[in-house]
Amino acid sequence: MEGIKIGNKQSKYPIIQGGMGVGVSLHKLAGTVSKEGGIGIIATADIGYQEEDFSSNPMKANLRAIGKEIKLARKIAGEDKILGVNIMVALNNYKEIVLECVKNKIDLIVSGAGIPKELPEYVKNSDTKIAPIVSSLRCCQLIVKHWRKKYNYIPDMIVIEGPEAGGHLGFKKEELQEGRKPKLEEITKEVVQYVDEVEKETKKKIPVVVAGGIWDNKDIQKFLKLGASGVQMATRFVATYECDASEEFKKAYVKAKEEDIKIIHSPVGMPGRAIYNEFVKKTEKERGNIKRCYQCIRTCDVAHTPYCITNALINAVKGNLEKGLLFCGSNVAKVKEMISVHQLIQELTNN
């Protein structure tokens, strides 16, 4: 297995740990994944939720926390390892968050939950590399053509997220029904073929990374054979000792059964895959009491949203599951035990 090259660094293995917010993948998990030879990703969504002034000034708290988390992750991983962040395009302060990550010399920005049209502008004159998340060939073509025309910039990496991924999904709800789901293998073939053409034209290597439902070494090998350079995995990294979430959050993953997984309608206006717990059931029947808005997501309509997603995700990561939303991937029911990041990566690479 060959690693993924980002700028002048290369990972040992072709494995990226997906960004999980709020607070599920921070410095401890991301730093350890990078240290162990993968690429660790810090989730920036409401990253400052533990800061004292988060309630009064969430933007200031989030920007301060970015620097703290990147420094702590670097301390664990080492300067020679690749460290990345996940930044949702839908975030209200998207530009400020990108610039703060660039200021802190992050190696890689993975960006989805919207189309990162201006991202090349924000990383100009820096060593930070950028990777859009796409869900189809059409989406990939749109981004590549726009970046080339407006900024003369070719993506440094492309992440394909299929319909089996966790959290917010780049598909319509009807596309996520059984029998109608696009096949990740087919999307991968189409995107890889297109990227090959772009590489020939531009003479630039663009790693294609595949995400959504990747479980084991067999899955990794399958997508590498289809031309991908690596995979992105999130769900399996939750049930690790180093994951930044609470023990209660991790135990919910270990206990989850197949029937506990459901596609929900998120307050941000997108479908998402989550554990169907009492909190989600309650939100389907009644609207939550929203006392304040954290101005986190541009697409959230406070007047009509069923609940505050920031509060729901913070409650979950802290272990208050009765009031918490737990996003997950389609394979969460296969998670049976807690292991270390080292054990997981060794298992995934069959070492």
Side-chain angles (χ1 to χ4, degrees), residues 175-304:
E175 291 179 303
L176 298 169
Q177 294 169 1
E178 287 305 324
R180 298 188 67 179
K181 286 181 195 171
K183 290 195 183 312
L184 183 56
E185 291 86 348
E186 294 306 313
I187 302 171
T188 301
K189 286 177 191 173
E190 291 174 351
V191 171
V192 164
Q193 186 179 350
Y194 172 66
V195 168
D196 281 347
E197 292 167 9
V198 176
E199 286 181 337
K200 283 171 189 168
E201 274 182 51
T202 63
K203 306 290 186 287
K204 178 177 178 177
K205 175 67 182 164
I206 312 163
V208 174
V209 172
V210 182
I214 313 293
W215 177 256
D216 54 17
N217 181 272
K218 188 179 170 186
D219 290 334
I220 296 171
Q221 294 296 344
K222 176 173 72 175
F223 285 101
L224 292 179
K225 282 173 186 168
L226 289 176
S229 297
V231 298
Q232 178 180 281
M233 305 173 70
T235 295
R236 293 207 70 181
F237 283 102
V238 171
T240 60
Y241 303 123
E242 296 88 353
C243 176
D244 297 273
S246 64
E247 290 305 305
E248 291 82 2
F249 189 104
K250 298 177 193 183
K251 283 174 186 173
Y253 267 52
V254 175
K255 291 176 186 173
K257 297 181 176 64
E258 198 71 46
E259 58 268 27
D260 296 329
I261 310 163
K262 189 170 180 180
I263 301 295
I264 64 160
H265 186 74
S266 162
V268 310
M270 300 168 77
R273 181 172 280 106
I275 293 177
Y276 193 53
N277 61 359
E278 290 306 314
F279 171 76
V280 175
K281 290 173 188 174
K282 189 178 178 183
T283 62
E284 290 178 339
K285 296 172 187 170
E286 59 185 77
R287 188 169 183 264
N289 181 20
I290 301 170
K291 293 176 181 177
R292 64 150 301 162
C293 177
Y294 293 92
Q295 299 291 315
C296 60
I297 304 286
R298 284 199 302 265
T299 52
C300 180
D301 180 0
V302 183
H304 300 99

Side-chain angles (χ1 to χ4, degrees), residues 3 12 31 44 60 63 90-91 112 120 130 174 191 202 258 289 294 298 307 326 335 351:
K12 185 175 181 181
T44 59
K60 189 178 176 183
L63 293 178
L91 292 175
I130 52 178
E174 54 268 25
V191 171
T202 63
E258 198 71 46
N289 181 20
Y294 293 92
R298 284 199 302 265
Y307 58 92
L326 293 91
V335 177
N351 286 339

